Amino acid sequence: MSKKKRQASPDTQAAPPTRKPVTVPAPTPTLAAKPQPVAPLPPKPADPNELIRFDRRTNWTLGIIVGLFLLMVLGKLHFVSLPAWNTLVPDGSPVNRGLVSGTAKTIRMDDYAVGAPWIISNINRGYPIENEGIGGLKSAMLTVPAKHIVSFFKPHNWGFFVLDAERGYAWMYDLCIPLLLIGSFLFFMMITRNQYFLSLTGAIALLLSSGTVWWTFIPASMIGYCGLTAVTAVYLLRERKPLRIVLLAFGLVYLCIAYLLQLYPPYQVPMSYLYILVLGGFLYNERKRFFPINAWVLKAGLLAVAVAVFGAVVYLFYNDVKETIQAASSTVYPGQRSESGGSGFIANWFSEYYSWVTNYQSYPKGWLNICEMSHYLTFAPVILPLTVVLFIQRKRIDWMLAGAALFTIALAIYVEYGWPKWLAEKTLVSMAPSRRAQIPLGVGSILLTVIYLSAVRDYVKQVPAWVNVAAVAAILGFMIYTAWVNVNDSEGIITSSQTFLPVLFFTAMNALLLFTIQSKYRIALFCTGLILFLLPNLGANPLSKGLTPITDHLLYRAVRPLVEQNPDARWIVNGSQYVTYLVTATGAKQITGVKYLPERKQIFKVLDPTMKRDSAYNRYAHVTFQTYINPQQPDTTILAQQFEDGYIIAGDPCSPKFKKLNVKYMLYDHAPQIPYEVRCMKKAVELGSMTIYERVD
């Protein structure tokens, strides 16, 4: 074979090597591998410098409170006993007109018979700052919504200026509930280091206590403002960002002014001391977190600016009402209240333990009424000695707990025994009569309880079993004593057998306060028991809707057109005081009715030119009229005091004095005694037994 390479033809070119097919073995079936569990992320550690933890739970709570409030307002729902008008002055309408649920309580006369007619009167007259139907001078500015720049500091009145009258009324009375719940909840969250259930329970207990609900939530706004003011002050101390410092500084001053404009010193003065003591104790306990104060020059400067700006508005308000305030302070009743305490509770300090036994219509006569006798549950007699033991055992003082305890002791002494006169006057506590001071004292008892439970949450002191037995026996003995006090003080309304369950229940509740007994669910059990006991107070007030018991009333609809036709004419009601209240609501310039102050400059200058009977009418009063004709002195007018808060005007309906006063209409709720007394009038409207006469001479 030649070594020379031979050229291959295409036909003879070698074929590519053949590859054997690769056989892929079928996969062997295996069990699916289980996913390995992933360990959950550890919870985010609590920030030791965090004041209030606005987590999902807290935000939902605040949202629900605000949402329910808005739903109530949109639905025109409120808790005032306006449906009582359906039976007090029946006009043939259904007795449940305006009533959604519950029962109207006639005891809350200041709300449905005085407050509501005053408010509707000022609405009908266009929100003036002077309204003769309410009282002399500028009474309207102090008592009802009025068009004035100071309304900016009165959130309760905002609804009237942006909503219709009925929703504005609902806003006014409903706002106090979210104020209390939000203000107290945030305050408790701050001072208990975010103990959610304890904080929420404390807020609910303040809301549902008898001293709050039976006064139609009047104390609620003040409690709420105190809590919000304290929280804002603490956040201002901690804040570093300039914009937030501005908002907090102005917010703090705003809240202080809004609180002051509640204008009820008997509650405000003691309550201010309570929150100052508790807040001061909190800041001292946590002084390392707040002091030295960051950016203190900026904060002090902004507070000064806020005080100056808002102070200018308040100064204008004060100038407008200065004469009115001086006149109110100079009245015979209520005048300038100045007491040194010592008259005690209307009921007794422990009557709330047995509040399930009494009710709206069944209570001891010596306790006056369900409102006056109501206050708050107190656990102070057990907490106070335990607090001393706690401080000794821990060898340190919780200054916040000490502040709440000091307030409770001091005010309890004021109520039961009194203070030296100089001390009561210097501290201004003299402005709080004993029976009014029991409300802030009760608020202090709730704060004391919450603070104490927070302090002993994780603390247990091991003691011999006999010590706990002795402690529980002492608590049982205390509860038996409270039962004895109430049985003897209740004029037979409360019997010994009725005290059995309350004694057992509150013995158990007080025993939960013993930090010598280890209990994993101490706070949960106590909070549950407290809320369950207070829940029946939800029925204290009715759920009402709108203003129809007044504005749809036959008498109101008969009088209102006459007032619109002749708004400057004056009215007198000859008869029932309840009829006078309805006439007030129409916006009439009525001489009778309820007067915050007497109208000296015009009305009594004519009726009593020498001021001989000044002591009879110089008061907050319910004013009625009756016919008195003296043939020897035909123009005689008698002004006679009937009650501490009431006087009567008696005279000839056709007297020249009433003509001079432009008394155009006289409403009789009965037939005139003799035709002579209506000789100067003609019938304008007849409403069954009632007749409206118009003066024609």
Side-chain angles (χ1 to χ4, degrees):
M1 199 172 165
S2 171
K3 292 180 179 180
K4 197 173 186 177
K5 227 176 208 183
R6 204 181 270 185
Q7 294 293 330
S9 65
D11 297 335
T12 60
Q13 191 173 355
T18 304
R19 293 184 180 180
K20 294 182 178 180
V22 178
T23 304
V24 179
T28 306
T30 59
L31 294 174
K34 292 183 179 180
Q36 295 297 318
V38 179
L41 293 174
K44 183 180 178 181
D47 182 357
N49 294 317
E50 186 178 36
L51 288 174
I52 299 174
R53 188 176 305 133
F54 288 98
D55 55 15
R56 180 180 297 178
R57 181 172 57 180
T58 299
N59 293 334
W60 267 101
T61 300
L62 298 176
I64 289 171
I65 293 170
V66 173
L68 289 175
F69 163 68
L70 293 177
L71 286 175
M72 291 279 290
V73 172
L74 291 174
K76 308 177 186 179
L77 302 173
H78 55 81
F79 299 99
V80 182
S81 293
L82 289 185
W85 281 111
N86 300 328
T87 52
L88 289 172
V89 185
D91 64 344
S93 299
V95 295
N96 62 347
R97 176 177 52 186
L99 183 66
V100 177
S101 66
T103 306
K105 307 297 192 299
T106 54
I107 187 62
R108 290 304 305 141
M109 188 175 181
D110 287 347
D111 298 322
Y112 68 82
V114 179
W118 277 1
I119 291 168
I120 299 172
S121 172
N122 227 47
I123 293 171
N124 283 329
R125 297 197 75 88
Y127 301 101
I129 60 176
E130 295 185 33
N131 185 338
E132 191 179 293
I134 295 173
L137 300 173
K138 295 180 179 177
S139 297
M141 281 192 69
L142 298 179
T143 56
V144 295
K147 288 182 178 178
H148 191 277
I149 191 172
V150 81
S151 293
F152 173 67
F153 294 99
K154 296 182 175 183
H156 287 79
N157 294 349
W158 291 356
F160 289 103
F161 304 121
V162 297
L163 303 169
D164 59 82
E166 291 190 311
R167 290 184 174 87
Y169 187 80
W171 175 289
M172 182 182 195
Y173 274 92
D174 293 345
L175 183 61
C176 53
I177 296 175
L179 271 177
L180 181 147
L181 288 176
I182 293 174
S184 298
F185 173 63
L186 294 179
F187 178 72
F188 287 139
M189 285 284 282
M190 182 179 72
I191 67 175
T192 64
R193 288 184 175 267
N194 295 295
Q195 295 185 49
Y196 174 84
F197 289 109
L198 180 58
S199 300
L200 186 59
T201 298
I204 293 173
L206 286 170
L207 178 70
L208 293 185
S209 290
S210 300
T212 302
V213 297
W214 278 110
W215 287 105
T216 326
F217 305 105
I218 288 174
S221 295
M222 301 173 207
I223 299 170
Y225 278 129
C226 283
L228 288 172
T229 302
V231 170
T232 305
V234 172
Y235 268 87
L236 179 60
L237 289 175
R238 283 280 306 279
E239 190 53 60
R240 297 172 180 269
K241 296 182 178 180
L243 179 58
R244 291 183 181 178
I245 291 174
V246 172
L247 295 175
L248 288 168
F250 276 78
L252 178 60
V253 177
Y254 177 90
L255 287 169
C256 289
I257 294 174
Y259 175 67
L260 290 173
L261 289 178
Q262 297 288 295
L263 296 177
Y264 197 70
Y267 290 167
Q268 290 171 294
V269 172
M271 212 175 291
S272 297
Y273 282 114
L274 166 63
Y275 280 85
I276 288 171
L277 284 170
V278 172
L279 180 60
F282 170 76
L283 291 175
Y284 190 80
N285 285 348
E286 307 288 338
R287 55 192 178 278
K288 293 181 180 179
R289 300 170 64 191
F290 298 101
F291 301 98
I293 301 173
N294 297 314
W296 70 269
V297 175
L298 175 62
K299 293 174 182 178
L302 285 170
L303 281 172
V305 172
V307 169
V309 172
F310 291 156
V313 177
V314 175
Y315 179 73
L316 292 173
F317 170 69
Y318 178 72
N319 272 347
D320 279 342
V321 298
K322 182 179 179 180
E323 185 182 2
T324 307
I325 292 175
Q326 290 174 344
S329 301
S330 302
T331 55
V332 178
Y333 171 83
Q336 289 185 340
R337 286 173 170 164
S338 181
E339 298 188 18
S340 53
S343 60
F345 285 83
I346 293 297
N348 59 72
W349 200 6
F350 315 117
S351 60
E352 283 297 299
Y353 291 143
Y354 308 97
S355 58
W356 280 7
V357 180
T358 57
N359 58 52
Y360 161 58
Q361 295 175 318
S362 176
Y363 54 85
K365 292 182 180 179
W367 295 3
L368 297 185
N369 58 60
I370 195 69
C371 300
E372 295 287 355
M373 63 185 261
S374 64
H375 49 102
Y376 296 73
L377 283 173
T378 179
F379 298 93
V382 173
I383 289 176
L384 291 174
L386 286 175
T387 296
V388 175
V389 176
L390 181 68
F391 292 168
I392 294 173
Q393 290 292 334
R394 286 184 162 181
K395 297 181 180 179
R396 65 179 177 85
I397 295 176
D398 181 332
W399 293 101
M400 182 168 56
L401 181 56
L406 175 62
F407 174 86
T408 302
I409 294 170
L411 202 60
I413 292 173
Y414 175 83
V415 171
E416 290 289 351
Y417 306 106
W419 287 1
K421 185 176 180 180
W422 65 267
L423 179 61
E425 291 179 349
K426 291 291 184 183
T427 58
L428 301 182
V429 176
S430 59
M431 301 176 75
S434 294
R435 67 181 188 176
R436 295 292 174 256
Q438 69 186 30
I439 295 297
L441 174 58
V443 174
S445 296
I446 300 294
L447 263 65
L448 175 68
T449 304
V450 171
I451 295 169
Y452 174 82
L453 284 170
S454 175
V456 300
R457 178 183 62 168
D458 300 320
Y459 181 74
V460 178
K461 176 64 178 177
Q462 298 293 334
V463 296
W466 67 267
V467 174
N468 285 329
V469 172
V472 173
I475 291 172
L476 177 61
F478 163 68
M479 286 306 307
I480 292 173
Y481 166 74
T482 67
W484 177 79
V485 168
N486 279 275
V487 169
N488 287 307
D489 195 34
S490 66
E491 304 165 9
I493 298 294
I494 301 175
T495 63
S496 299
S497 61
Q498 291 173 316
T499 65
F500 179 73
L501 288 178
V503 165
L504 290 182
F505 178 78
F506 282 105
T507 297
M509 290 285 285
N510 279 290
L512 288 170
L513 301 172
L514 296 172
F515 55 81
T516 56
I517 298 178
Q518 187 170 4
S519 174
K520 182 179 179 181
Y521 304 105
R522 179 199 311 278
I523 292 179
L525 290 172
F526 188 92
C527 291
T528 301
L530 184 59
I531 297 302
L532 287 176
F533 184 83
L534 294 175
L535 272 179
N537 283 342
L538 279 172
N541 297 292
L543 183 61
S544 305
K545 182 176 182 178
L547 299 169
T548 54
I550 292 178
T551 57
D552 282 357
H553 197 281
L554 185 63
L555 177 61
Y556 177 93
R557 289 191 282 112
V559 173
R560 178 63 188 150
L562 297 176
V563 175
E564 290 179 311
Q565 293 170 16
N566 199 344
D568 292 326
R570 288 196 171 97
W571 287 67
I572 286 178
V573 173
N574 193 323
S576 165
Q577 67 185 65
Y578 287 100
V579 176
T580 70
Y581 307 149
L582 280 175
V583 172
T584 294
T586 65
K589 295 178 69 173
Q590 185 187 184
I591 292 177
T592 43
V594 182
K595 305 300 176 186
Y596 183 77
L597 282 176
E599 174 49 84
R600 292 176 176 277
K601 292 184 178 180
Q602 297 183 41
I603 294 175
F604 288 101
K605 186 178 180 180
V606 174
L607 295 180
D608 186 28
T610 62
M611 299 180 64
K612 180 180 179 180
R613 299 296 300 163
D614 179 73
S615 61
Y617 57 79
N618 185 24
R619 63 187 65 242
Y620 166 92
H622 299 255
V623 187
T624 54
F625 180 90
Q626 71 179 35
T627 299
Y628 173 77
I629 300 176
N630 186 343
Q632 283 75 36
Q633 296 178 324
D635 204 23
T636 299
T637 302
I638 297 175
L639 299 164
Q641 179 190 346
Q642 291 180 302
F643 311 102
E644 186 177 47
D645 61 349
Y647 64 88
I648 189 170
I649 301 172
D652 183 348
C654 288
S655 165
K657 290 181 179 179
F658 297 127
K659 182 176 182 180
K660 184 176 181 180
L661 289 171
N662 193 31
V663 176
K664 189 74 172 176
Y665 297 100
M666 178 80 69
L667 192 158
Y668 281 78
D669 70 349
H670 57 276
Q673 296 178 5
I674 53 175
Y676 182 75
E677 66 179 286
V678 292
R679 63 193 181 279
C680 60
M681 310 175 198
K682 69 175 183 178
K683 290 183 180 180
V685 179
E686 287 192 78
L687 298 168
S689 62
M690 297 186 192
T691 306
I692 300 174
Y693 287 88
E694 181 180 357
R695 186 158 185 153
V696 294
D697 66 346

